[in-house]
Amino acid sequence: MTARSESRWIAREALARVILGVLAFAFAVTGIGFLFFPEEILGQLETLGRSFGPFIPASGERFWLVLAFAYMMLVTFLAGISAWRPQTFRPMLWALMIGKSVSSLTALAFFITDGPAFIYLLNFLVDGGLVLLVGFCVWLLR
C-alpha cells in the first residue's frame, strides 16, 4: 500500500468512525425514548406525518411489531453467521449476548414495575438463559 492510498484509507476510516458514532448515539437515544415515552413518540411522529400530507394514524402495536421483527431477524443473523464460522465471527456472539441481556433485564424491570405478568417473567428467563448459553459458546471458543 502506498503512502497516498494509506492516507486515503485512514481518512475514510475516520469518516466511517464519525458516522457510526453518530448513528450509535442516535440509536441509543431513540431506544431510550421508545422505552420511556412510547406513546408520546408515536404521537409526535403522527403529528410530523400530518404536516407532510393526509396520512392515516398507524397502529402502535403494528409499529412495535415491525421493530420486534427487525430485532429478531438481527439476532437470527448474529447466531447464524456465528454458527457458520464461530471463531471468525466470535465478536458477533458478544453482540448477541448484549441484545439478549438488554431484553432479559428490561423484561425483569417490567415484571417488577408493571406487575407479575407471565410474559415478562418468561422473557427474562428465556433470554437470560440464552445469554448464559451463548456465553458458554464464547468460553468454548476462547
Side-chain angles (χ1 to χ4, degrees), residues 35-50:
L35 178 64
F36 290 106
F37 310 107
E39 291 84 15
E40 293 84 349
I41 288 179
L42 282 180
Q44 291 295 322
L45 292 173
E46 294 290 347
T47 300
L48 177 66
R50 283 192 295 276

Side-chain angles (χ1 to χ4, degrees), residues 107 111 115-126:
F111 183 82
F118 178 71
I119 194 68
Y120 295 148
L121 178 62
L122 184 62
N123 191 81
F124 166 70
L125 295 173
V126 169

Side-chain angles (χ1 to χ4, degrees), residues 43-117:
Q44 291 295 322
L45 292 173
E46 294 290 347
T47 300
L48 177 66
R50 283 192 295 276
S51 69
F52 289 107
F55 293 102
I56 63 169
S59 161
E61 288 179 12
R62 299 287 282 184
F63 176 70
W64 301 124
L65 182 60
V66 167
L67 296 179
F69 178 69
Y71 168 75
M72 291 307 296
M73 292 302 97
L74 176 61
V75 297
T76 298
F77 170 77
L78 293 172
I81 199 164
S82 298
W84 178 50
R85 295 188 54 192
Q87 195 59 41
T88 301
F89 294 106
R90 189 169 162 226
M92 300 293 186
L93 296 174
W94 290 98
L96 181 57
M97 286 193 314
I98 289 168
K100 288 300 178 181
S101 294
V102 170
S103 174
S104 177
L105 294 175
T106 302
L108 177 61
F110 285 169
F111 183 82
I112 292 168
T113 61
D114 290 358

Side-chain angles (χ1 to χ4, degrees), residues 12-22:
R12 289 194 315 252
E13 183 181 36
L15 179 59
R17 284 177 185 239
V18 169
I19 291 168
L20 293 170
V22 168

